[in-house]
Amino acid sequence: MLFNPFPTRFTARLAAGLLAALASLAAGAQALPPEVDALLARARVPREAFAAVVVDAAPAINGKTAPLLSYRAGSAMNPASVMKLVTTYAGLELLGPAYTWSTPVYADGPVANGVLTGNLIIQGRGDPKLVMERLWLLLRRVQGLGIKTITGDILLDRSAFAASTQNPGDFDGEALRPYNVQPDALLLNYKSVVMTFSPNPGSGSTSISYDPPLAGVQMQASVPLSAGSNGRATLSECGDYRAQLQPDFADPLRMVFTGSYPAACGEKVWAIAYPDPASYAQRAIAGLWQEMGGALGGRVKDGAAPPGLAPAFEMESATLAEIIRDINKFSNNVMAQQLFLTLSLQRPGGASNEASREAVRGWWQGRFGAQNGGPGNAPDMPVLDNGSGLSRLERVTPQGLARMLQTAYVSGAMPELMASLPISGVDGTLKRSRSQVSQGWAHLKSGTLRDATALAGYVHTPSGRRLVVVGIVNHANAPAARPALEALVDWAVKEGSR
């Protein structure tokens, strides 16, 4: 049951205001602001591929229900990563901002003189941010139990999430891109290898370090430095340093570079998704355990803790309020999918996308149906796939998303949700925003796919007015229409101050 922090009279007034705003949104399309229209034309995007809403964040409080702009607001559009707004707000309401993920660790056997006679079991429960530093701390806590040698195996229990048949390259064929990493109940370091290239001009070579160390994988330690035509590297040579390295990752057991590294690049960090994700956790834990001086008699493999065995300790994650900052500020796809699956974590058979879709549908019906006469009358139900926006199937209407953001604005979750959004021209995915008027005045989630681009969130005006802004483009030229979306936000800042 959702806690209602507002008195009944206020809730009724708020619901009436939201309904009036929704009716205004659906009343018909308005003319586009001229600057937005011109930039869409420059990007060769027809008006019919664009949909937008600009409306007061709290119409019942401000007494203003008519939207400043409603253009094709009822059109179901692919919002790309803006769909993360639905997932993170649902997570805040269904789980609570203080929710944490635990990773239980079990010692199945006696410990004496630094030796665990038996197996160590690590049970994944969906932690979205079990990165290298925290994995090291987990294994350090194992050693803190007095365990230096494990005579048996290290078993990895991933049963909390139902098995998926999807491969990392299914979305766009780019299996080595970290944004395509698939969720896992025991997600370690985003299943990625981080390579750091450090040039050493004196030796004529570049050293390569790898995190984490992967057991059984040969990792090339250095590559030669390359120089320009005058014997010295030029800045222009650094533009495509990855291609110049001529990487070969075809064999997961060998990370090879047959090219060279431009000296002008200085130190660079390159992260890739490990080519064999199914074996990543085993190799990462085995490699790090060995690097920390631990000994293992068996091997690292999938398994489960015996029934009734109590954990030796549990590794706790950061709170959900902190996790959603990474999800939204940096548009982290796999973290969003981990959260989405967590919404059905208590379902029998392990969490699944279908069960989580059902959970969000139920939440949407209960949250927004009440504003429209009952739980069965929730309009603008979003179409969800994996909750991250990395999908060709997900859809939402701008007016539905706007109403959700209005509801969130007057909810107890508002501070956490708004703080998780990138600030235009300041941080996250909007740090390099070219917008001048809205710089520092907008908290917005952005999204971009090959044929979709979107912005949605909150805009503050110098007059103190706060607006919800949603803009979505679905077209083959959608990425080129980003300036039109930024112009929409700038227009909202100026228009909302009148």
Side-chain angles (χ1 to χ4, degrees), residues 1-6 89-97 359-360 362-371 407 411-413:
M1 179 178 294
L2 295 173
F3 172 66
N4 182 2
F6 303 107
Y89 180 42
L92 285 170
E93 292 222 329
L94 293 173
L95 302 174
V360 175
W363 166 76
W364 189 278
Q365 289 280 11
R367 196 67 165 99
F368 304 108
Q371 300 172 6
T407 302
S411 77

Side-chain angles (χ1 to χ4, degrees), residues 197 204-206 208 220 222-227 240-248 255-262 270:
F197 298 87
S205 65
T206 297
I208 312 172
Q220 186 172 322
S222 65
V223 293
L225 278 176
S226 60
D240 197 10
Y241 77 92
R242 296 178 182 180
Q244 290 189 56
L245 283 166
Q246 298 180 36
D248 182 359
M255 304 195 76
V256 178
F257 302 91
T258 58
S260 59
Y261 183 82
W270 180 13

Side-chain angles (χ1 to χ4, degrees), residues 30-31 53 70 112 151 165 203 207 310 322 332 334 340 380 399 428 439:
Q30 300 168 284
V53 170
S70 174
T151 63
T165 58
S203 66
S207 61
E322 297 171 85
N332 191 301
V334 70
F340 188 67
D380 300 302
Q399 67 188 15
Q439 187 168 12

Side-chain angles (χ1 to χ4, degrees), residues 180-268:
N180 272 326
V181 167
Q182 296 298 296
D184 195 312
L186 188 61
L187 178 72
L188 301 181
N189 208 52
Y190 313 125
K191 300 183 188 177
S192 295
V193 179
V194 179
M195 302 171 289
T196 302
F197 298 87
S198 304
N200 304 304
S203 66
S205 65
T206 297
S207 61
I208 312 172
S209 60
Y210 302 82
D211 280 317
L214 298 179
V217 179
Q218 298 178 28
M219 296 177 164
Q220 186 172 322
S222 65
V223 293
L225 278 176
S226 60
S229 57
N230 61 354
R232 299 173 65 87
T234 62
L235 289 174
S236 62
E237 289 183 285
C238 192
D240 197 10
Y241 77 92
R242 296 178 182 180
Q244 290 189 56
L245 283 166
Q246 298 180 36
D248 182 359
F249 304 138
D251 182 353
L253 300 182
R254 296 173 67 247
M255 304 195 76
V256 178
F257 302 91
T258 58
S260 59
Y261 183 82
C265 288
E267 185 174 273
K268 291 284 186 182

Side-chain angles (χ1 to χ4, degrees), residues 467-480:
L467 304 171
V468 165
V469 176
V470 180
I472 306 176
V473 178
N474 283 181
H475 189 266
N477 294 335

Side-chain angles (χ1 to χ4, degrees), residues 69-152:
L69 176 69
S70 174
Y71 190 83
R72 300 183 65 249
S75 303
M77 309 281 281
N78 185 336
S81 282
V82 166
M83 187 60 87
K84 292 181 176 69
L85 289 172
V86 177
T87 298
T88 51
Y89 180 42
L92 285 170
E93 292 222 329
L94 293 173
L95 302 174
Y99 180 86
T100 59
W101 288 260
S102 66
T103 303
V105 178
Y106 304 81
D108 186 16
V111 178
N113 301 318
V115 178
L116 166 61
T117 305
N119 299 325
L120 184 82
I121 302 102
I122 303 174
Q123 185 180 61
R125 300 287 297 167
D127 188 339
K129 200 175 180 182
L130 195 49
V131 293
M132 267 293 295
E133 296 86 349
R134 296 188 62 245
L135 178 59
W136 183 91
L137 287 172
L138 184 150
L139 294 179
R140 185 69 186 89
R141 288 183 67 178
V142 170
Q143 293 184 341
L145 298 173
I147 300 172
K148 303 296 182 182
T149 299
I150 301 169
T151 63

